[in-house]
Amino acid sequence: MIGYESKRKAMSTDNGLLAIGLLTAKSMVLSIFVCSIFMYVMLQVRSATAADLRTVSLVNGDILKIGDIFENAGEKADVVIGRTPMPGQDMRLNARTLMRIAKAANIDWQAQSIMDEVIIRRDANVIGFETLESNIKQALSEKGLTGDAEITINENLSRLTLPKDEPATADIRNVRYNTADARFSATVLAPSAERPLKKYEITGTAHPLVDVPVLNTQIKAGNVISASDLSSISLRQTMVPRGALVNVADLQGMAASKTLYPNKPLRGVDIALPKLVERGGELTIIYESDALLLTAKGKALQNGSRGEMIRVVNLESNKNLQAMVSEDGVVVVR
């Protein structure tokens, strides 16, 4: 009996330990499962509410907000943190600055690299040089500038910008212009004199320009210049060579007195009337009088251009005559 009871007690103890072990194992599995569910839920919640960093943020106003830096910032998006850059300019926020902003605003964001940054870019209306140049020319025309001009400005106005909601315009005031040396000074008020958000004092030069006819191809001596051979270039008035021809009519239909090259101003000595009659060439002689018109075959003893008087010989009478060149191969005796 004693041996049997001892054996039964030993079996009962083993069963109890096994049950406790199973219960402990089940508890651990349950705990792991619950923890896994909790961590999954927390990760989902965190990913749904975590802020994302913007790479480039385009802003219009003067005030910089949390939402300009972080996406998904929720109710904190409208929190003001500073001022934006000037219109048309950029401002860079590095990783350290971004971490300080996130911490101060209690934003759920961590820098992934020291290279993390946000570029805050202020949108703007840029006043182009063409607009400014046109306005300056208009203002200078009231001070003695005539025609077109080459405008140069000493100051750097390449980034003359205004807020996005302002028109890209400018008024020119206080203009002074010296026609002798082409220098001017003026005040630029943008977008207008009535609303001068930007004010610049500028100086520069305004050189009057002249359109000068030039050849667009090489012309050999003796060849006639036609309209298709001509184009024009704009030169400062002070740079036009003395004696240069400035009217197309002075060149068209004329012959080159020597080989002429393109894109160079031409002078009177570069051209001549085209030769309509060649020395030794046959021609027609027309005799004109009040009631008589006769023609005869002749020969040129000289070269001749339209309107020139040259010596010719009548081949029928072998008589030398003075005749005026009328057209190609025709002379007139009056």
Side-chain angles (χ1 to χ4, degrees):
M1 289 295 292
I2 295 174
Y4 175 75
E5 288 179 359
S6 297
K7 184 177 182 180
R8 185 170 62 184
K9 288 180 180 180
M11 291 178 61
S12 297
T13 300
D14 293 339
N15 290 337
L17 292 173
L18 180 60
I20 292 172
L22 290 173
L23 181 60
T24 301
K26 288 181 180 180
S27 298
M28 291 178 65
V29 171
L30 181 61
S31 297
I32 293 172
F33 177 75
V34 171
C35 288
S36 299
I37 294 297
F38 177 76
M39 290 178 66
Y40 174 79
V41 171
M42 290 302 294
L43 286 173
Q44 292 302 309
V45 171
R46 186 179 187 279
S47 63
T49 58
D52 295 322
L53 192 66
R54 298 180 184 274
T55 304
V56 177
S57 181
L58 187 64
V59 297
N60 291 326
D62 297 325
I63 303 301
L64 183 64
K65 301 178 181 180
I66 289 291
D68 297 324
I69 300 174
F70 298 103
E71 296 180 353
N72 305 324
E75 60 184 11
K76 297 177 181 177
D78 292 329
V79 174
V80 176
I81 58 174
R83 296 187 64 84
T84 58
M86 297 297 291
Q89 296 184 359
D90 291 349
M91 177 173 67
R92 293 178 180 269
L93 303 179
N94 58 28
R96 181 176 297 178
T97 301
L98 294 170
M99 286 292 293
R100 287 202 300 264
I101 293 173
K103 183 177 180 180
N106 198 23
I107 297 294
D108 186 9
W109 179 82
Q110 290 288 330
Q112 302 300 309
S113 166
I114 60 172
M115 301 302 292
D116 284 350
E117 69 172 8
V118 173
I119 299 174
I120 306 298
R121 179 163 296 159
R122 179 78 177 271
D123 204 0
N125 269 339
V126 179
I127 301 176
F129 181 76
E130 294 79 9
T131 299
L132 195 59
E133 182 183 45
S134 176
N135 291 355
I136 291 173
K137 288 180 181 178
Q138 178 62 35
L140 291 176
S141 68
E142 301 171 4
K143 299 294 182 178
L145 178 67
T146 58
D148 197 9
E150 179 185 88
I151 302 294
T152 59
I153 299 175
N154 298 328
E155 291 73 23
N156 182 12
L157 298 181
S158 60
R159 294 193 61 81
L160 180 53
T161 57
L162 292 168
K164 187 64 177 177
D165 55 353
E166 296 290 342
T169 57
D171 287 336
I172 312 299
R173 295 291 186 268
N174 306 323
V175 180
R176 293 183 177 86
Y177 180 50
N178 187 339
T179 55
D181 61 11
R183 296 183 182 278
F184 74 88
S185 63
T187 302
V188 179
L189 302 170
S192 66
E194 293 73 25
R195 185 176 167 76
L197 299 182
K198 295 287 184 72
K199 179 179 178 180
Y200 293 96
E201 300 296 335
I202 63 171
T203 58
T205 57
H207 292 280
L209 295 177
V210 177
D211 284 337
V212 179
V214 295
L215 296 171
N216 53 37
T217 186
Q218 180 177 307
I219 299 291
K220 292 184 178 180
N223 288 356
V224 176
I225 300 170
S226 65
S228 61
D229 298 322
L230 296 169
S231 57
S232 66
I233 58 174
S234 291
L235 294 177
R236 291 183 182 181
Q237 196 172 58
T238 55
M239 297 179 65
V240 177
R242 180 173 295 183
L245 302 173
V246 296
N247 297 315
V248 173
D250 294 335
L251 293 169
Q252 191 171 337
M254 301 298 286
S257 60
K258 59 182 180 180
T259 300
L260 302 177
Y261 299 94
N263 299 320
K264 292 184 177 181
L266 301 173
R267 297 175 298 168
V269 296
D270 296 325
I271 59 173
L273 289 169
K275 301 299 181 185
L276 300 181
V277 173
E278 296 284 344
R279 180 182 178 182
E282 292 188 356
L283 46 74
T284 298
I285 303 173
I286 298 177
Y287 294 87
E288 287 184 347
S289 65
D290 294 338
L292 188 64
L293 180 65
L294 300 175
T295 62
K297 293 294 183 182
K299 180 179 178 181
L301 300 178
Q302 292 177 283
N303 294 329
S305 302
R306 186 186 300 276
E308 285 186 329
M309 297 296 293
I310 63 171
R311 290 184 300 110
V312 299
V313 59
N314 185 326
L315 296 179
E316 296 176 4
S317 65
N318 203 32
K319 184 178 180 179
N320 289 350
L321 304 167
Q322 288 286 332
M324 184 180 70
V325 179
S326 174
E327 56 186 282
D328 191 8
V330 177
V331 295
V332 177
V333 176
R334 291 186 174 89

